[in-house]
């Protein structure tokens, strides 16, 4: 019974040699708390996985996020990396589709070849993978969404850079009510976790003033079926519409409403992708369109050091690419990733990386922009900026009252 064919013996021998080679390769890698090699970390490389929309109706958002992040990472790698390790980003397209994002993330984790997850895009996609994070003990840093579900209840493995949708909508509602005197505010939202989050944030903001939405209209993710929602909101004679959607659906809503001579103030949360929305509305000078942002303007004329560095590096690694708010957010994600790796030291572990992030306090990203975390605070930034669309260009909104004369149409006045 001990006899075996020669080919079986050779196959077993080769398998034994392969196991020895893998063990030898891992010998120089850091060792985690359970005594095993840290996934995604070798002597020369730390690898992170990113599932984000690179195609489809949110493809602009994922592409800009990734290019902003890679502008920073490529510069760091050229300078020698972090503690002698270069950063590799395994970026996989999910087309803003939750099942695809889940499958991508499962491959990252089961394959055991990424140290952390990085720069995901979207609420419905990211919410889908949340249960896996704690079970696998994998950090997720930098998500292009302000969803409250990623903030409450607290999850030690989720590290948010940006302000939340609740903060964005609360600030916008305050300006609409206090500065413009509006009381008739409607909500147009994507019918999924992202849209529901923005809807709830708006309702909470209105409740502080004893108000509630005069109308609610929605559309299905991935479509531009805005007509039913538009009809409902137009009938309410809303003075302003809070828009929680993607650039394609929101642009279609605004175009159709303008064609019907309905021109309230259109306020969009940051996920809309300001530059892409502006491109689609560049020939609509009458539409009073406002967008909140969670990073400063990415233009060369400003003094924010991080924005200037992003603009410079984007031009270096992606010539001809136009800087964007989304891209700057991706760049800031990478800045914090790099700082966390630096503080974690050469003996890199996932738990050590999380502790390193939590040690960041008042880290300067510019003279007017500092980021802080803590053991029970995994959101680094809280500031909200406002911009407006004027003659096809995005500019800072300094005075909300300048919107009042344009807020006529069927919803205008106070």
């Amino acid at each position: 019974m001990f006899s075996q064919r020669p080919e079986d013996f050779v196959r077993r021998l080769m398998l034994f040699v392969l196991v020895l080679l893998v063990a030898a390769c891992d010998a120089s890698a850091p060792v985690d708390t359970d005594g095993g090699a840290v996934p995604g970390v070798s002597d020369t490389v730390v690898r992170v996985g990113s599932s984000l929309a690179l195609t489809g109706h949110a493809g602009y958002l994922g592409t800009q996020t990734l290019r902003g992040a890679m502008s920073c990472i490529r510069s760091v790698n050229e300078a020698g990396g972090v503690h002698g390790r270069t950063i590799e980003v395994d970026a996989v397209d999910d087309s803003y589709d939750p099942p695809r994002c889940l499958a991508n993330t499962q491959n990252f984790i089961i394959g055991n070849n990424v140290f952390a997850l990085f720069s995901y895009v979207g609420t419905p996609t990211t919410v889908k993978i949340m249960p896996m994070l704690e079970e696998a003990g994998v950090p997720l840093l930098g998500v292009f969404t302000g969803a409250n579900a990623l903030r409450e209840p607290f999850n030690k493995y989720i590290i948010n850079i940006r302000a939340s949708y609740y903060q964005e909508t609360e600030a916008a509602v305050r300006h609409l009510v206090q500065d413009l005197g509006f009381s008739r505010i409607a909500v147009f939202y994507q019918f999924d976790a992202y849209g529901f989050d923005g809807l709830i944030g708006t309702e909470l903001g209105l409740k502080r003033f004893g108000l509630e939405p005069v109308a609610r209209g929605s559309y299905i993710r991935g479509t531009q079926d805005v007509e039913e929602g538009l009809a409902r909101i137009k009938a309410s004679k809303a003075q302003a519409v809070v828009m929680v959607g993607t650039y394609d659906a929101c642009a279609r809503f605004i175009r159709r409403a303008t064609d019907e001579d309905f021109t309230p103030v259109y306020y969009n949360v940051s996920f809309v992708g300001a530059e892409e929305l502006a491109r689609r509305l560049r020939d609509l000078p009458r539409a009073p369109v406002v967008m909140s942002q969670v990073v400063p303007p990415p233009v060369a004329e400003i003094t924010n050091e991080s924005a200037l560095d992003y603009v410079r590096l984007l031009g270096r690694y992606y010539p001809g690419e136009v800087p964007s708010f989304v891209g700057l957010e991706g760049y800031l994600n990478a800045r914090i990733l790099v700082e966390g790796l630096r503080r974690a030291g050469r003996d890199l572990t996932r738990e050590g990386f999380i502790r390193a992030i939590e040690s960041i306090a008042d880290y300067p990203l510019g003279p007017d922009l500092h980021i802080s975390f803590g053991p029970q605070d995994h959101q680094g930034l809280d500031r909200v900026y406002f911009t407006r669309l004027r003659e096809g260009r995005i500019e800072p909104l300094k005075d909300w009252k300048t919107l009042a004369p344009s807020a006529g149409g069927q919803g205008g006045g106070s």
Side-chain angles (χ1 to χ4, degrees):
M1 65 179 179
F2 293 100
S3 62
Q4 59 181 329
R5 293 178 300 173
E7 57 268 28
D8 291 336
F9 174 77
V10 172
R11 187 180 298 111
R12 291 173 182 271
L13 180 61
M14 291 179 65
L15 180 60
F16 177 70
V17 172
L18 180 60
V19 170
L20 290 179
L21 287 173
V22 171
C25 290
D26 285 343
S28 61
V31 176
D32 212 339
T33 51
D34 62 0
V38 180
V41 180
S42 73
D43 200 42
T44 58
V45 171
V46 56
R47 184 178 296 107
V48 297
S50 180
S51 179
L52 67 177
L54 300 176
T55 60
H57 59 283
Y60 171 82
L61 305 176
T63 301
Q64 290 297 304
T65 298
L66 183 60
R67 289 180 179 176
M70 292 307 301
S71 295
C72 175
I73 289 172
R74 290 174 68 175
S75 176
V76 169
N77 286 344
E78 285 185 1
V82 183
H83 297 300
R85 295 188 182 98
T86 56
I87 302 170
E88 289 187 1
V89 180
D90 185 3
V92 184
D93 181 28
D94 60 32
S95 293
Y96 195 41
D97 178 62
R100 286 184 64 179
C101 181
L102 179 62
N104 292 342
T105 305
Q106 287 173 332
N107 288 336
F108 288 145
I109 294 175
I110 294 173
N112 216 33
N113 61 350
V114 299
F115 170 71
L117 306 177
F118 172 68
S119 272
Y120 274 44
V121 169
T123 303
T125 47
T126 309
V127 167
K128 192 77 171 178
I129 62 101
M130 284 178 57
M132 301 171 60
L133 301 178
E134 189 167 2
E135 181 179 348
V138 180
L140 168 61
L141 183 146
V143 185
F144 185 57
T145 169
N148 195 57
L150 274 68
R151 293 157 172 81
E152 295 180 5
F154 176 79
N155 187 323
K156 68 175 287 188
Y157 294 102
I158 299 177
I159 301 161
N160 296 292
I161 309 301
R162 49 138 55 224
S164 71
Y165 291 144
Y166 282 14
Q167 290 170 304
E168 290 186 53
T169 52
E170 191 278 332
V173 166
R174 186 174 65 250
H175 285 297
L176 291 170
V177 174
Q178 292 184 336
D179 296 355
L180 296 179
F182 289 175
S183 60
R184 303 185 63 80
I185 298 172
V187 185
F188 175 69
Y189 63 99
Q190 186 167 283
F191 196 81
D192 64 3
Y194 161 48
F196 300 152
D197 202 77
L199 172 63
I200 293 171
T202 304
E203 290 173 337
L204 291 173
L206 287 169
K207 188 175 182 180
R208 294 184 177 92
F209 296 97
L211 302 171
E212 64 178 39
V214 293
R216 299 169 180 84
S218 64
Y219 72 98
I220 301 301
R221 182 180 68 245
T223 74
Q224 297 184 41
D225 298 333
V226 305
E227 284 73 18
E228 182 178 346
L230 171 58
R232 186 177 296 113
I233 290 172
K234 181 181 177 183
S236 75
K237 298 185 178 180
Q239 298 160 297
V241 181
V242 174
M243 310 192 78
V244 191
T246 53
Y247 47 79
D248 46 6
C250 290
R252 180 175 175 82
F253 183 103
I254 294 170
R255 280 190 170 278
R256 293 297 298 268
T258 303
D259 289 344
E260 297 177 18
D261 199 31
F262 177 58
T263 55
V265 170
Y266 302 102
Y267 157 68
N268 296 262
V269 299
S270 58
F271 188 81
V272 76
E275 289 82 5
E276 186 64 13
L277 181 66
R279 186 182 70 81
R280 294 169 181 244
L281 298 177
R282 59 180 177 270
D283 59 342
L284 283 183
R286 288 193 303 141
V289 179
V290 177
M291 298 149 284
S292 54
Q293 314 292 350
V294 294
V295 295
V299 294
E301 292 79 13
I302 67 171
T303 58
N304 184 276
E305 297 169 8
S306 293
L308 290 173
D309 196 46
Y310 158 66
V311 172
R312 177 181 64 83
L313 293 175
L314 184 71
R316 176 179 175 183
Y317 295 112
Y318 300 95
E321 185 69 35
V322 178
S324 67
F325 287 95
V326 180
L328 177 54
E329 187 171 335
Y331 165 88
L332 294 181
N333 289 347
R335 280 283 299 270
I336 300 307
L337 171 67
V338 170
E339 181 63 14
L341 292 173
R342 186 188 69 80
R343 293 185 181 219
R346 177 68 182 173
D347 296 326
L348 183 61
T349 65
R350 286 169 170 170
E351 294 296 323
F353 175 74
I354 292 173
R355 289 193 297 271
I357 292 292
E358 292 173 345
S359 74
I360 296 175
D362 290 324
Y363 179 69
L365 297 170
D368 60 343
L369 189 65
H370 291 72
I371 192 164
S372 296
F373 297 93
Q376 294 297 317
D377 179 10
H378 277 195
Q379 178 177 296
L381 297 172
D382 296 292
R383 185 169 177 181
V384 177
Y385 306 77
F386 288 100
T387 56
R388 68 176 298 178
L389 180 62
R390 185 193 290 272
E391 297 180 355
R393 300 183 62 183
I394 301 169
E395 62 180 32
L397 177 57
K398 299 178 181 178
D399 184 0
W400 281 72
K401 293 181 180 179
T402 59
L403 297 169
S406 301
Q410 290 186 328
S414 60

